CSV table of all heavy atoms in Angstrom, one decimal:
chain,number,residue,atom,x,y,z
A,147,VAL,N,3.3,-18.4,-7.3
A,147,VAL,CA,2.6,-17.6,-6.5
A,147,VAL,C,3.3,-16.3,-6.3
A,147,VAL,O,2.7,-15.2,-6.3
A,147,VAL,CB,2.3,-18.3,-5.2
A,147,VAL,CG1,1.7,-17.3,-4.1
A,147,VAL,CG2,1.3,-19.5,-5.4
A,148,PHE,N,4.6,-16.4,-5.9
A,148,PHE,CA,5.4,-15.2,-5.7
A,148,PHE,C,5.4,-14.2,-6.9
A,148,PHE,O,5.2,-13.0,-6.8
A,148,PHE,CB,6.8,-15.6,-5.4
A,148,PHE,CG,7.8,-14.5,-5.2
A,148,PHE,CD1,7.7,-13.6,-4.1
A,148,PHE,CD2,8.8,-14.3,-6.2
A,148,PHE,CE1,8.6,-12.5,-4.0
A,148,PHE,CE2,9.7,-13.2,-6.0
A,148,PHE,CZ,9.6,-12.3,-5.0
A,149,ALA,N,5.7,-14.8,-8.1
A,149,ALA,CA,5.7,-14.0,-9.3
A,149,ALA,C,4.4,-13.3,-9.6
A,149,ALA,O,4.3,-12.1,-10.0
A,149,ALA,CB,6.1,-14.9,-10.5
A,150,LEU,N,3.3,-14.2,-9.5
A,150,LEU,CA,1.9,-13.6,-9.8
A,150,LEU,C,1.5,-12.5,-8.8
A,150,LEU,O,0.8,-11.6,-9.1
A,150,LEU,CB,0.9,-14.8,-9.8
A,150,LEU,CG,1.0,-15.6,-11.1
A,150,LEU,CD1,0.1,-16.9,-10.9
A,150,LEU,CD2,0.5,-14.8,-12.3
A,151,LEU,N,1.9,-12.7,-7.5
A,151,LEU,CA,1.6,-11.7,-6.5
A,151,LEU,C,2.2,-10.4,-6.9
A,151,LEU,O,1.5,-9.3,-6.8
A,151,LEU,CB,2.1,-12.2,-5.2
A,151,LEU,CG,1.7,-11.4,-3.9
A,151,LEU,CD1,0.2,-11.5,-3.6
A,151,LEU,CD2,2.5,-11.8,-2.7
A,152,ASN,N,3.4,-10.4,-7.3
A,152,ASN,CA,4.1,-9.1,-7.7
A,152,ASN,C,3.4,-8.6,-8.9
A,152,ASN,O,3.2,-7.3,-9.0
A,152,ASN,CB,5.6,-9.4,-8.0
A,152,ASN,CG,6.5,-9.4,-6.7
A,152,ASN,OD1,6.7,-8.4,-6.3
A,152,ASN,ND2,6.8,-10.6,-6.4
A,153,ALA,N,3.1,-9.4,-9.9
A,153,ALA,CA,2.5,-8.9,-11.1
A,153,ALA,C,1.0,-8.4,-10.8
A,153,ALA,O,0.7,-7.3,-11.4
A,153,ALA,CB,2.3,-10.1,-12.2
A,154,LEU,N,0.3,-9.0,-10.0
A,154,LEU,CA,-1.1,-8.6,-9.6
A,154,LEU,C,-1.0,-7.1,-8.9
A,154,LEU,O,-1.8,-6.2,-9.3
A,154,LEU,CB,-1.7,-9.5,-8.7
A,154,LEU,CG,-2.2,-10.8,-9.4
A,154,LEU,CD1,-2.7,-11.8,-8.3
A,154,LEU,CD2,-3.4,-10.5,-10.4
A,155,VAL,N,-0.1,-7.1,-7.9
A,155,VAL,CA,0.0,-5.8,-7.2
A,155,VAL,C,0.5,-4.7,-8.2
A,155,VAL,O,-0.1,-3.6,-8.2
A,155,VAL,CB,1.0,-5.9,-6.0
A,155,VAL,CG1,1.2,-4.6,-5.4
A,155,VAL,CG2,0.5,-6.9,-5.1
A,156,ALA,N,1.5,-5.0,-9.0
A,156,ALA,CA,1.9,-4.0,-10.0
A,156,ALA,C,0.8,-3.5,-11.0
A,156,ALA,O,0.7,-2.3,-11.3
A,156,ALA,CB,3.1,-4.5,-10.8
A,157,THR,N,0.0,-4.5,-11.4
A,157,THR,CA,-1.2,-4.1,-12.3
A,157,THR,C,-2.2,-3.3,-11.5
A,157,THR,O,-2.7,-2.2,-12.1
A,157,THR,CB,-1.9,-5.4,-12.7
A,157,THR,OG1,-1.0,-6.2,-13.4
A,157,THR,CG2,-3.1,-5.1,-13.6
A,158,PHE,N,-2.5,-3.6,-10.2
A,158,PHE,CA,-3.4,-2.7,-9.4
A,158,PHE,C,-2.8,-1.3,-9.4
A,158,PHE,O,-3.5,-0.3,-9.5
A,158,PHE,CB,-3.6,-3.3,-8.0
A,158,PHE,CG,-4.7,-4.3,-8.0
A,158,PHE,CD1,-4.5,-5.7,-7.8
A,158,PHE,CD2,-6.1,-3.9,-8.1
A,158,PHE,CE1,-5.4,-6.6,-7.7
A,158,PHE,CE2,-7.1,-4.8,-8.1
A,158,PHE,CZ,-6.8,-6.2,-7.8
A,159,ALA,N,-1.5,-1.2,-9.0
A,159,ALA,CA,-0.9,0.1,-8.8
A,159,ALA,C,-0.8,0.9,-10.1
A,159,ALA,O,-1.1,2.1,-10.1
A,159,ALA,CB,0.5,-0.2,-8.2
A,160,ARG,N,-0.5,0.2,-11.2
A,160,ARG,CA,-0.4,0.9,-12.5
A,160,ARG,C,-1.9,1.5,-12.8
A,160,ARG,O,-2.0,2.6,-13.2
A,160,ARG,CB,0.0,0.0,-13.6
A,160,ARG,CG,1.4,-0.4,-13.6
A,160,ARG,CD,1.8,-1.5,-14.6
A,160,ARG,NE,1.8,-1.1,-15.9
A,160,ARG,CZ,2.0,-1.9,-17.0
A,160,ARG,NH1,2.1,-3.2,-16.7
A,160,ARG,NH2,2.1,-1.4,-18.1
A,161,ASN,N,-2.9,0.7,-12.6
A,161,ASN,CA,-4.2,1.1,-13.0
A,161,ASN,C,-4.7,2.3,-12.0
A,161,ASN,O,-5.3,3.3,-12.5
A,161,ASN,CB,-5.2,0.0,-12.9
A,161,ASN,CG,-5.0,-1.1,-14.0
A,161,ASN,OD1,-4.5,-0.7,-14.9
A,161,ASN,ND2,-5.6,-2.2,-13.7
A,162,GLU,N,-4.3,2.1,-10.7
A,162,GLU,CA,-4.7,3.3,-9.8
A,162,GLU,C,-4.0,4.6,-10.1
A,162,GLU,O,-4.5,5.6,-10.0
A,162,GLU,CB,-4.5,2.8,-8.5
A,162,GLU,CG,-5.4,1.7,-8.0
A,162,GLU,CD,-5.0,1.1,-6.6
A,162,GLU,OE1,-4.4,1.8,-5.8
A,162,GLU,OE2,-5.2,-0.2,-6.5
A,163,LEU,N,-2.7,4.5,-10.4
A,163,LEU,CA,-2.0,5.7,-10.8
A,163,LEU,C,-2.4,6.3,-12.1
A,163,LEU,O,-2.6,7.6,-12.1
A,163,LEU,CB,-0.5,5.3,-10.9
A,163,LEU,CG,0.3,5.0,-9.6
A,163,LEU,CD1,1.6,4.3,-9.9
A,163,LEU,CD2,0.5,6.2,-8.7
A,164,ALA,N,-2.8,5.5,-13.0
A,164,ALA,CA,-3.3,6.1,-14.3
A,164,ALA,C,-4.7,6.6,-14.0
A,164,ALA,O,-5.0,7.7,-14.5
A,164,ALA,CB,-3.4,5.0,-15.4
A,165,ALA,N,-5.5,5.9,-13.3
A,165,ALA,CA,-6.9,6.4,-13.0
A,165,ALA,C,-6.9,7.7,-12.3
A,165,ALA,O,-7.7,8.6,-12.4
A,165,ALA,CB,-7.7,5.4,-12.3
A,166,ALA,N,-5.9,7.9,-11.3
A,166,ALA,CA,-5.8,9.0,-10.5
A,166,ALA,C,-5.6,10.3,-11.4
A,166,ALA,O,-6.2,11.3,-11.3
A,166,ALA,CB,-4.7,9.0,-9.5
A,167,ASP,N,-4.7,10.2,-12.4
A,167,ASP,CA,-4.4,11.2,-13.3
A,167,ASP,C,-5.6,11.6,-14.2
A,167,ASP,O,-6.0,12.7,-14.4
A,167,ASP,CB,-3.2,10.9,-14.2
A,167,ASP,CG,-2.8,12.1,-15.1
A,167,ASP,OD1,-2.6,13.1,-14.6
A,167,ASP,OD2,-2.7,11.8,-16.3
A,168,GLN,N,-6.3,10.5,-14.7
A,168,GLN,CA,-7.5,10.7,-15.6
A,168,GLN,C,-8.6,11.2,-14.7
A,168,GLN,O,-9.4,12.1,-15.2
A,168,GLN,CB,-7.8,9.3,-16.2
A,168,GLN,CG,-6.9,8.8,-17.2
A,168,GLN,CD,-7.0,7.4,-17.5
A,168,GLN,OE1,-8.0,6.8,-17.0
A,168,GLN,NE2,-6.3,6.8,-18.4
A,169,SER,N,-8.7,10.7,-13.5
A,169,SER,CA,-9.9,11.2,-12.7
A,169,SER,C,-9.7,12.7,-12.4
A,169,SER,O,-10.7,13.4,-12.4
A,169,SER,CB,-9.8,10.4,-11.4
A,169,SER,OG,-10.8,10.8,-10.5
A,170,ARG,N,-8.5,13.2,-12.1
A,170,ARG,CA,-8.3,14.6,-11.9
A,170,ARG,C,-8.8,15.5,-13.0
A,170,ARG,O,-9.4,16.5,-12.8
A,170,ARG,CB,-6.8,14.9,-11.6
A,170,ARG,CG,-6.3,14.6,-10.2
A,170,ARG,CD,-5.0,15.1,-9.9
A,170,ARG,NE,-4.0,14.5,-10.6
A,170,ARG,CZ,-3.3,13.4,-10.3
A,170,ARG,NH1,-3.6,12.9,-9.1
A,170,ARG,NH2,-2.4,12.9,-11.0
A,171,ARG,N,-8.5,15.1,-14.3
A,171,ARG,CA,-8.9,15.8,-15.4
A,171,ARG,C,-10.5,15.7,-15.5
A,171,ARG,O,-11.1,16.8,-15.8
A,171,ARG,CB,-8.3,15.3,-16.7
A,171,ARG,CG,-6.8,15.5,-16.7
A,171,ARG,CD,-6.3,15.3,-18.1
A,171,ARG,NE,-6.4,14.1,-18.7
A,171,ARG,CZ,-5.7,13.0,-18.5
A,171,ARG,NH1,-4.5,13.2,-17.8
A,171,ARG,NH2,-5.9,11.8,-19.1
A,172,ALA,N,-11.0,14.6,-15.3
A,172,ALA,CA,-12.5,14.4,-15.4
A,172,ALA,C,-13.2,15.2,-14.4
A,172,ALA,O,-14.3,15.9,-14.7
A,172,ALA,CB,-12.9,12.9,-15.4
A,173,VAL,N,-12.7,15.2,-13.2
A,173,VAL,CA,-13.4,15.9,-12.0
A,173,VAL,C,-13.3,17.4,-12.3
A,173,VAL,O,-14.2,18.1,-11.9
A,173,VAL,CB,-12.7,15.5,-10.7
A,173,VAL,CG1,-13.1,16.5,-9.6
A,173,VAL,CG2,-13.1,14.0,-10.3
A,174,ALA,N,-12.2,17.9,-12.8
A,174,ALA,CA,-12.1,19.3,-13.1
A,174,ALA,C,-13.2,19.8,-14.0
A,174,ALA,O,-13.9,20.8,-13.7
A,174,ALA,CB,-10.7,19.6,-13.7
A,175,TYR,N,-13.5,19.1,-15.1
A,175,TYR,CA,-14.5,19.5,-15.9
A,175,TYR,C,-15.9,19.2,-15.4
A,175,TYR,O,-16.8,20.1,-15.5
A,175,TYR,CB,-14.5,18.7,-17.3
A,175,TYR,CG,-15.5,19.3,-18.3
A,175,TYR,CD1,-15.4,20.6,-18.7
A,175,TYR,CD2,-16.5,18.5,-18.8
A,175,TYR,CE1,-16.3,21.1,-19.7
A,175,TYR,CE2,-17.4,18.9,-19.7
A,175,TYR,CZ,-17.4,20.3,-20.2
A,175,TYR,OH,-18.2,20.7,-21.0
A,176,LEU,N,-16.1,18.1,-14.6
A,176,LEU,CA,-17.4,17.8,-14.0
A,176,LEU,C,-17.7,18.8,-13.0
A,176,LEU,O,-18.9,19.3,-12.9
A,176,LEU,CB,-17.3,16.4,-13.3
A,176,LEU,CG,-18.6,15.7,-12.8
A,176,LEU,CD1,-19.5,15.5,-13.9
A,176,LEU,CD2,-18.3,14.5,-12.0
A,177,SER,N,-16.7,19.3,-12.3
A,177,SER,CA,-17.0,20.3,-11.3
A,177,SER,C,-17.4,21.6,-12.0
A,177,SER,O,-18.4,22.3,-11.5
A,177,SER,CB,-15.7,20.7,-10.6
A,177,SER,OG,-15.8,21.7,-9.7
A,178,HIS,N,-16.8,21.9,-13.1
A,178,HIS,CA,-17.2,23.1,-13.8
A,178,HIS,C,-18.7,23.1,-14.3
A,178,HIS,O,-19.4,24.0,-14.2
A,178,HIS,CB,-16.3,23.2,-15.1
A,178,HIS,CG,-16.7,24.3,-16.0
A,178,HIS,ND1,-16.6,25.7,-15.9
A,178,HIS,CD2,-17.4,24.2,-17.3
A,178,HIS,CE1,-17.1,26.4,-16.9
A,178,HIS,NE2,-17.5,25.5,-17.8
A,179,VAL,N,-19.1,21.9,-14.8
A,179,VAL,CA,-20.5,21.7,-15.4
A,179,VAL,C,-21.4,21.8,-14.2
A,179,VAL,O,-22.4,22.4,-14.2
A,179,VAL,CB,-20.6,20.4,-16.1
A,179,VAL,CG1,-22.0,20.2,-16.4
A,179,VAL,CG2,-19.7,20.4,-17.3
A,180,ALA,N,-21.0,21.1,-13.1
A,180,ALA,CA,-21.9,21.1,-11.9
A,180,ALA,C,-22.2,22.4,-11.3
A,180,ALA,O,-23.3,22.8,-10.9
A,180,ALA,CB,-21.4,20.1,-10.8
A,181,ALA,N,-21.1,23.3,-11.3
A,181,ALA,CA,-21.2,24.6,-10.7
A,181,ALA,C,-22.1,25.5,-11.6
A,181,ALA,O,-22.7,26.4,-11.1
A,181,ALA,CB,-19.8,25.2,-10.6
A,182,GLY,N,-22.2,25.2,-12.9
A,182,GLY,CA,-23.1,26.0,-13.8
A,182,GLY,C,-24.5,25.9,-13.5
A,182,GLY,O,-25.2,26.9,-13.7
A,183,GLY,N,-25.0,24.8,-12.8
A,183,GLY,CA,-26.3,24.7,-12.5
A,183,GLY,C,-27.3,24.4,-13.6
A,183,GLY,O,-28.5,24.3,-13.4
A,184,GLU,N,-26.8,24.3,-14.9
A,184,GLU,CA,-27.8,24.0,-16.0
A,184,GLU,C,-28.1,22.6,-16.2
A,184,GLU,O,-29.0,22.3,-16.9
A,184,GLU,CB,-27.1,24.6,-17.2
A,184,GLU,CG,-26.8,26.0,-17.2
A,184,GLU,CD,-26.1,26.5,-18.5
A,184,GLU,OE1,-25.8,25.7,-19.3
A,184,GLU,OE2,-25.8,27.7,-18.5
A,185,ARG,N,-27.4,21.7,-15.4
A,185,ARG,CA,-27.6,20.3,-15.5
A,185,ARG,C,-27.8,19.7,-14.1
A,185,ARG,O,-26.8,19.3,-13.5
A,185,ARG,CB,-26.5,19.5,-16.3
A,185,ARG,CG,-26.4,20.0,-17.8
A,185,ARG,CD,-25.4,19.2,-18.5
A,185,ARG,NE,-25.3,19.5,-19.9
A,185,ARG,CZ,-26.1,19.1,-20.9
A,185,ARG,NH1,-27.1,18.3,-20.6
A,185,ARG,NH2,-25.9,19.5,-22.1
A,186,PRO,N,-29.0,19.8,-13.6
A,186,PRO,CA,-29.2,19.5,-12.1
A,186,PRO,C,-28.8,18.0,-11.8
A,186,PRO,O,-28.4,17.8,-10.7
A,186,PRO,CB,-30.7,19.8,-11.9
A,186,PRO,CG,-31.3,19.9,-13.2
A,186,PRO,CD,-30.2,20.3,-14.2
A,187,ARG,N,-29.0,17.2,-12.8
A,187,ARG,CA,-28.7,15.8,-12.6
A,187,ARG,C,-27.1,15.6,-12.4
A,187,ARG,O,-26.7,14.9,-11.5
A,187,ARG,CB,-29.2,14.8,-13.6
A,187,ARG,CG,-30.7,14.6,-13.5
A,187,ARG,CD,-31.2,13.6,-14.6
A,187,ARG,NE,-31.1,14.2,-15.9
A,187,ARG,CZ,-32.0,14.9,-16.5
A,187,ARG,NH1,-33.1,15.1,-15.8
A,187,ARG,NH2,-31.9,15.3,-17.7
A,188,ILE,N,-26.4,16.3,-13.2
A,188,ILE,CA,-25.0,16.3,-13.1
A,188,ILE,C,-24.5,17.0,-11.8
A,188,ILE,O,-23.6,16.4,-11.1
A,188,ILE,CB,-24.3,17.1,-14.3
A,188,ILE,CG1,-24.6,16.4,-15.6
A,188,ILE,CG2,-22.8,17.1,-14.1
A,188,ILE,CD1,-24.1,15.0,-15.7
A,189,SER,N,-25.1,18.1,-11.3
A,189,SER,CA,-24.9,18.7,-10.0
A,189,SER,C,-25.1,17.7,-8.9
A,189,SER,O,-24.3,17.7,-8.0
A,189,SER,CB,-25.7,20.0,-10.0
A,189,SER,OG,-25.4,20.9,-11.0
A,190,ALA,N,-26.2,17.0,-9.0
A,190,ALA,CA,-26.6,16.1,-7.9
A,190,ALA,C,-25.5,14.9,-7.9
A,190,ALA,O,-25.1,14.5,-6.8
A,190,ALA,CB,-28.0,15.5,-8.1
A,191,LEU,N,-25.2,14.4,-9.1
A,191,LEU,CA,-24.2,13.4,-9.2
A,191,LEU,C,-22.9,13.9,-8.5
A,191,LEU,O,-22.2,13.1,-7.8
A,191,LEU,CB,-24.0,13.0,-10.6
A,191,LEU,CG,-22.8,11.9,-10.9
A,191,LEU,CD1,-23.2,10.6,-10.3
A,191,LEU,CD2,-22.5,11.9,-12.4
A,192,PHE,N,-22.5,15.1,-8.9
A,192,PHE,CA,-21.1,15.5,-8.4
A,192,PHE,C,-21.2,15.7,-6.9
A,192,PHE,O,-20.2,15.4,-6.2
A,192,PHE,CB,-20.8,16.9,-9.0
A,192,PHE,CG,-19.4,17.4,-8.7
A,192,PHE,CD1,-18.3,16.9,-9.3
A,192,PHE,CD2,-19.4,18.5,-7.8
A,192,PHE,CE1,-17.1,17.4,-8.9
A,192,PHE,CE2,-18.1,19.0,-7.4
A,192,PHE,CZ,-17.0,18.4,-8.0
A,193,ASP,N,-22.3,16.2,-6.4
A,193,ASP,CA,-22.5,16.4,-4.9
A,193,ASP,C,-22.3,14.9,-4.2
A,193,ASP,O,-21.7,14.9,-3.2
A,193,ASP,CB,-23.8,17.0,-4.5
A,193,ASP,CG,-23.8,18.4,-4.9
A,193,ASP,OD1,-22.7,19.0,-5.1
A,193,ASP,OD2,-24.9,19.0,-5.0
A,194,GLU,N,-23.0,14.0,-4.8
A,194,GLU,CA,-22.9,12.6,-4.2
A,194,GLU,C,-21.5,12.1,-4.3
A,194,GLU,O,-21.0,11.5,-3.3
A,194,GLU,CB,-23.8,11.7,-4.9
A,194,GLU,CG,-23.9,10.3,-4.3
A,194,GLU,CD,-25.0,9.4,-5.0
A,194,GLU,OE1,-25.9,10.0,-5.7
A,194,GLU,OE2,-24.9,8.2,-4.8
A,195,LEU,N,-20.8,12.2,-5.4
A,195,LEU,CA,-19.4,11.8,-5.5
A,195,LEU,C,-18.5,12.5,-4.6
A,195,LEU,O,-17.6,11.9,-4.0
A,195,LEU,CB,-18.9,12.0,-7.0
A,195,LEU,CG,-19.6,11.1,-8.0
A,195,LEU,CD1,-19.1,11.5,-9.4
A,195,LEU,CD2,-19.2,9.6,-7.8
A,196,SER,N,-18.7,13.8,-4.4
A,196,SER,CA,-17.9,14.6,-3.5
A,196,SER,C,-18.0,14.1,-2.0
A,196,SER,O,-17.0,14.3,-1.2
A,196,SER,CB,-18.3,16.0,-3.5
A,196,SER,OG,-18.1,16.5,-4.9
A,197,THR,N,-19.1,13.6,-1.6
A,197,THR,CA,-19.3,13.1,-0.2
A,197,THR,C,-19.1,11.6,0.0
A,197,THR,O,-19.2,11.2,1.1
A,197,THR,CB,-20.7,13.5,0.3
A,197,THR,OG1,-21.7,12.9,-0.6
A,197,THR,CG2,-20.9,15.0,0.2
A,198,ALA,N,-18.9,10.9,-1.2
A,198,ALA,CA,-18.7,9.4,-1.0
A,198,ALA,C,-17.4,9.1,-0.3
A,198,ALA,O,-16.5,10.0,-0.4
A,198,ALA,CB,-18.8,8.8,-2.5
A,199,ASP,N,-17.3,8.0,0.2
A,199,ASP,CA,-16.1,7.6,0.9
A,199,ASP,C,-15.7,6.2,0.4
A,199,ASP,O,-15.8,5.2,1.1
A,199,ASP,CB,-16.3,7.5,2.4
A,199,ASP,CG,-15.0,7.2,3.2
A,199,ASP,OD1,-13.9,7.4,2.6
A,199,ASP,OD2,-15.1,6.7,4.3
A,200,PRO,N,-15.2,6.1,-0.9
A,200,PRO,CA,-14.8,4.9,-1.5
A,200,PRO,C,-13.6,4.3,-0.7
A,200,PRO,O,-12.8,5.0,-0.2
A,200,PRO,CB,-14.5,5.2,-2.9
A,200,PRO,CG,-14.0,6.6,-2.9
A,200,PRO,CD,-14.9,7.2,-1.8
A,201,ASP,N,-13.5,2.9,-0.6
A,201,ASP,CA,-12.5,2.3,0.1
A,201,ASP,C,-11.7,1.4,-0.9
A,201,ASP,O,-12.0,0.2,-1.0
A,201,ASP,CB,-13.0,1.5,1.3
A,201,ASP,CG,-11.8,0.9,2.1
A,201,ASP,OD1,-10.7,1.1,1.7
A,201,ASP,OD2,-12.1,0.4,3.2
A,202,PRO,N,-10.8,2.0,-1.8
A,202,PRO,CA,-10.2,1.1,-2.7
A,202,PRO,C,-9.3,0.0,-2.1
A,202,PRO,O,-9.1,-1.0,-2.7
A,202,PRO,CB,-9.3,2.2,-3.5
A,202,PRO,CG,-9.1,3.3,-2.6
A,202,PRO,CD,-10.4,3.3,-1.8
A,203,ARG,N,-8.8,0.2,-0.9
A,203,ARG,CA,-8.0,-0.8,-0.3
A,203,ARG,C,-8.8,-2.1,0.0
A,203,ARG,O,-8.4,-3.1,-0.2
A,203,ARG,CB,-7.5,-0.3,1.0
A,203,ARG,CG,-6.6,-1.3,1.8
A,203,ARG,CD,-5.8,-0.8,2.9
A,203,ARG,NE,-5.0,-1.8,3.6
A,203,ARG,CZ,-4.0,-1.5,4.4
A,203,ARG,NH1,-3.7,-0.3,4.7
A,203,ARG,NH2,-3.3,-2.5,4.9
A,204,GLU,N,-10.1,-1.8,0.5
A,204,GLU,CA,-10.9,-3.0,0.8
A,204,GLU,C,-11.3,-3.7,-0.5
A,204,GLU,O,-11.3,-5.0,-0.6
A,204,GLU,CB,-12.3,-2.5,1.5
A,204,GLU,CG,-13.2,-3.7,1.9
A,204,GLU,CD,-14.4,-3.2,2.7
A,204,GLU,OE1,-14.3,-2.1,3.2
A,204,GLU,OE2,-15.4,-3.9,2.8
Side-chain angles (χ1 to χ4, degrees):
V147 169
F148 173 71
L150 285 169
L151 187 69
N152 279 283
L154 285 170
V155 174
T157 300
F158 274 109
R160 288 169 77 185
N161 289 343
E162 288 169 33
L163 289 165
D167 183 53
Q168 293 166 355
S169 179
R170 280 191 293 269
R171 295 197 298 270
V173 167
Y175 185 64
L176 188 61
S177 173
H178 169 75
V179 173
E184 297 175 1
R185 296 186 180 272
R187 285 185 291 271
I188 297 295
S189 298
L191 173 69
F192 185 76
D193 289 342
E194 184 177 343
L195 289 173
S196 299
T197 57
D199 185 23
D201 188 353
R203 179 170 183 163
E204 183 176 340

